[in-house]
Amino acid sequence: MANVLPSQDFQNSDIQSGQGGAGSEAGVGGRGGDIASHNTTNIENIYHVVIVTQAQTDYVIKEQNLKGTMVEVEKLLSRIKEDPEPHLEPPLKVEPLTKVFTIYTGVDQATKKLKRSTDLVLTLTPAASDPERPWATIVWKVLHFEKLSAMKSQVTWSAEAGFCVLQEEDDGTLTPGPLRMPAKPGHATILREVEEGSTTESYLDSEVKIKDTTDDIAIANTTDTPQRLALCTIDPKKHEADRFSPVANISLFGRSGPEDQSGKFALQCGPPVLLQVYAFNGYKERQPFQNDDGKAKPIFTKNLSTVRSGVSFRLYSKPSGHITLE
């Protein structure tokens, strides 16, 4: 049903349209007076339109102010039969923050050439980390650079984060399984189970609010079985099947909050914004990064939330042979 309330008072005058049991209704109305006697059909007014559309058993309500004459508004409403929302503006789509940066090598300066071919291993973690519980990072990207050459690689990072259930492939890489969900700031993503006949299905739910006033995200496993999940960064520009890139391995035992006795989430953190770059050969993307002892030191660390999009960093060898990125 669509009700139109003009800024002046009019006698009720209804027009109706619909399609079977699911569709929309449209009406133009008001109070007091008579449309014909007041000759209001050509008077321009501001009308408040409330559109209620029905799809099966769900109702969707949209509101918008329209400016025009009664005739013009009636024409718009008469089109609801073909299009329940012919006049509504499309919802504003807010794209997540995305930044692009470049890593390059050059031969234009003798003191800033790359002297040996190198792979750069890029990892991402939340900005804040617990030294007692280091992140079990997963390789985000691997970039290869040939020695004594001019090369460049562009990297796109999105501030949008998510969680997924991991699958381990035969080659040891970790890929997102079918259970995956974007994380909502200030909310927890919960792995739950529901019985479907004789089987039990798992699903992810992100409608649980974190108690603290925060933009953190959280993950918990309320099923009875241990699960291997991952914190992911999401690239909205990639194909849907490839948007989730796991960057941190999270192993959660069954009943790991928030419905356990502690009432706490198994893991609460910020989005993966801390870039760490290592000069290592032999790694590939989505492979667990082996640095449990912390001996591997990054040659470059940067909080991407503070980096200007379009910035470039040069990769080269110092006289000592140490590889540097700056």
Side-chain angles (χ1 to χ4, degrees):
M1 178 179 294
N3 296 321
V4 182
L5 307 179
S7 58
Q8 298 183 10
D9 290 334
F10 302 113
Q11 181 71 26
N12 286 341
S13 173
D14 297 327
I15 56 177
Q16 303 245 342
S17 63
Q19 296 180 351
S24 308
E25 294 184 355
V28 181
R31 294 175 300 173
D34 181 83
I35 291 181
S37 62
H38 284 80
N39 191 26
T40 58
T41 56
N42 294 316
I43 298 176
E44 190 175 77
N45 293 289
I46 301 295
Y47 301 90
H48 184 64
V49 181
V50 179
I51 304 292
V52 182
T53 60
Q54 181 183 6
Q56 297 178 348
T57 59
D58 295 328
Y59 289 88
V60 179
I61 300 176
K62 298 287 182 68
E63 299 188 33
Q64 184 168 319
N65 289 325
L66 288 179
K67 183 177 181 180
T69 66
M70 178 70 73
V71 173
E72 291 169 339
V73 173
E74 285 183 343
K75 286 181 178 179
L76 282 174
L77 293 176
S78 68
R79 291 165 50 195
I80 293 178
K81 183 176 181 180
E82 289 73 33
D83 183 357
E85 301 173 354
H87 62 283
L88 296 180
E89 295 293 332
L92 179 62
K93 186 177 181 180
V94 180
E95 294 288 349
L97 175 65
T98 301
K99 296 184 179 181
V100 178
F101 61 93
T102 300
I103 297 176
Y104 72 99
T105 58
V107 293
D108 56 319
Q109 299 181 49
T111 58
K112 289 197 173 183
K113 294 179 182 179
L114 184 64
K115 301 295 179 65
R116 62 182 173 90
S117 297
T118 303
D119 283 348
L120 293 185
V121 176
L122 279 59
T123 66
L124 283 174
T125 64
S129 299
D130 183 355
E132 301 298 323
R133 297 177 61 188
W135 289 100
T137 52
I138 302 169
V139 175
W140 177 38
K141 294 183 183 295
V142 176
L143 310 177
H144 179 75
F145 293 89
E146 289 291 335
K147 65 179 181 179
L148 303 175
S149 63
M151 299 178 62
K152 68 177 181 180
S153 292
Q154 270 195 344
V155 179
T156 301
W157 168 81
S158 168
E160 187 176 14
F163 294 101
C164 74
V165 176
L166 283 173
Q167 297 180 162
E168 184 171 1
E169 305 300 330
D170 292 340
D171 62 357
T173 57
L174 302 173
T175 59
L179 281 179
R180 59 185 77 175
M181 176 173 284
K184 294 172 63 175
H187 290 74
T189 301
I190 312 296
L191 181 64
R192 303 186 188 276
E193 287 182 341
V194 61
E195 292 186 1
E196 296 284 349
S198 60
T199 62
T200 301
E201 299 290 337
S202 298
Y203 69 99
L204 290 171
D205 169 24
S206 64
E207 297 304 317
V208 179
K209 188 81 173 71
I210 298 175
K211 292 181 179 180
D212 298 334
T213 304
T214 178
D215 285 334
D216 279 359
I217 56 179
I219 183 71
N221 172 21
T222 62
T223 71
D224 290 322
T225 56
Q227 296 288 344
R228 194 175 190 181
L229 299 106
L231 173 65
C232 301
T233 183
I234 301 175
D235 187 347
K237 296 184 178 180
K238 285 187 175 181
H239 186 274
E240 186 174 357
D242 297 323
R243 288 178 184 172
F244 280 70
S245 293
V247 294
N249 191 351
I250 306 167
S251 295
L252 295 182
F253 294 100
R255 299 293 172 186
S256 58
E259 297 169 357
D260 62 2
Q261 293 181 352
S262 69
K264 296 180 180 180
F265 298 103
L267 175 71
Q268 181 174 326
C269 62
V273 299
L274 187 64
L275 172 69
Q276 298 181 84
V277 181
Y278 300 84
F280 281 130
N281 292 331
Y283 275 97
K284 52 189 170 184
E285 293 181 5
R286 297 186 174 181
Q287 182 180 354
F289 183 64
Q290 303 297 331
N291 193 24
D292 296 338
D293 55 8
K295 291 182 178 180
K297 301 300 180 184
I299 63 169
F300 183 84
T301 300
K302 187 71 69 173
N303 187 327
L304 293 179
S305 65
T306 65
V307 170
R308 173 179 54 84
S309 186
V311 70
S312 296
F313 305 103
R314 183 163 185 155
L315 180 70
Y316 66 96
S317 301
K318 287 189 172 181
S320 62
H322 181 74
I323 294 178
T324 299
L325 183 64
E326 61 181 24

